[in-house]
Amino acid sequence: MRNLFLVAVAGLLASCNTDAVMSDTHSLPNYWDKNDTIAFSIPQLDSLKQYNVFLHLRNTNDYRFNNLFLIVSMEFPHGKTIQDTLEYRMAEPDGAWLGEGIGSLKDSKLWFKEKVKFPEEGTYQLRIMQAVRNNGDVEGVTKLEGITDVGFSIEEASQQ
């Protein structure tokens, strides 16, 4: 019986294997305030390799939108900053969540940048803000409910 348990645990750990060179997650109190910027530090990576950068989001059924707008910036060690306004679809038209997971928690792995290099020596800063608005409103949603975690991962790009 014990051997069966160990095999099951080993299989579970192997299935959790990821290609991420690095990743980090920030937990939220089931909402994302419009003034909260989630910031991550990215240490120097191999400047000769290309990487894919993903954003990760965990939402509950309290999230009442079928899309998500983010403002994401990457600050290079020598001061240059690139900023993108991004839209991600989070649900099908019938309301079914696109993320992975069982029950009310869904994890979404969202493309941010493909085949990028980190050529400068030093630490990069990744900053993520939510920019969701109700239809017809100029002001953003003050407390975006249903978001429990925000993160990122970096994977080595395949050489295809």
Side-chain angles (χ1 to χ4, degrees):
M1 184 71 165
R2 180 178 173 178
N3 287 340
L4 181 61
F5 174 74
L6 291 175
V7 169
V9 169
L12 182 63
L13 291 175
S15 70
C16 294
N17 189 15
T18 178
D19 295 327
V21 173
M22 70 173 315
S23 64
D24 198 0
T25 303
H26 180 82
S27 294
L28 297 171
N30 200 39
Y31 68 87
W32 192 351
D33 191 281
K34 77 172 190 171
N35 296 317
D36 285 347
T37 300
I38 311 299
F40 299 101
S41 293
I42 301 171
Q44 183 175 347
L45 298 171
D46 187 332
S47 63
L48 300 177
K49 293 183 178 178
Q50 291 182 333
Y51 299 92
N52 296 326
V53 183
F54 299 91
L55 305 177
H56 295 266
L57 224 77
R58 179 173 289 151
N59 67 285
T60 67
N61 289 335
D62 293 334
Y63 189 74
R64 57 188 185 95
F65 300 91
N66 67 351
N67 60 2
L68 174 72
F69 289 90
L70 299 176
I71 298 171
V72 182
S73 64
M74 176 79 73
E75 182 180 322
F76 290 67
H78 298 137
K80 173 183 156 186
T81 299
I82 56 169
Q83 182 170 298
D84 294 294
T85 301
L86 308 166
E87 179 182 10
Y88 296 102
R89 202 172 86 185
M90 301 296 289
E92 297 286 355
D94 68 359
W97 294 116
L98 294 174
E100 307 259 328
I102 299 172
S104 65
L105 280 178
K106 298 297 179 193
D107 293 313
S108 296
K109 181 179 179 180
L110 311 167
W111 277 97
F112 174 50
K113 295 284 184 187
E114 184 176 13
K115 294 187 177 181
V116 297
K117 289 189 174 187
F118 293 87
E120 295 180 11
E121 286 188 26
T123 302
Y124 291 74
Q125 297 295 318
L126 179 67
R127 292 184 175 84
I128 309 169
M129 295 173 38
Q130 65 94 349
V132 175
R133 289 169 170 50
N134 287 307
N135 285 338
D137 285 354
V138 174
E139 294 295 317
V141 174
T142 304
K143 284 189 174 183
L144 185 60
E145 295 182 5
I147 303 295
T148 63
D149 298 278
V150 177
F152 80 99
S153 65
I154 297 175
E155 299 176 6
E156 199 171 311
S158 62
Q159 302 300 325
Q160 297 179 356

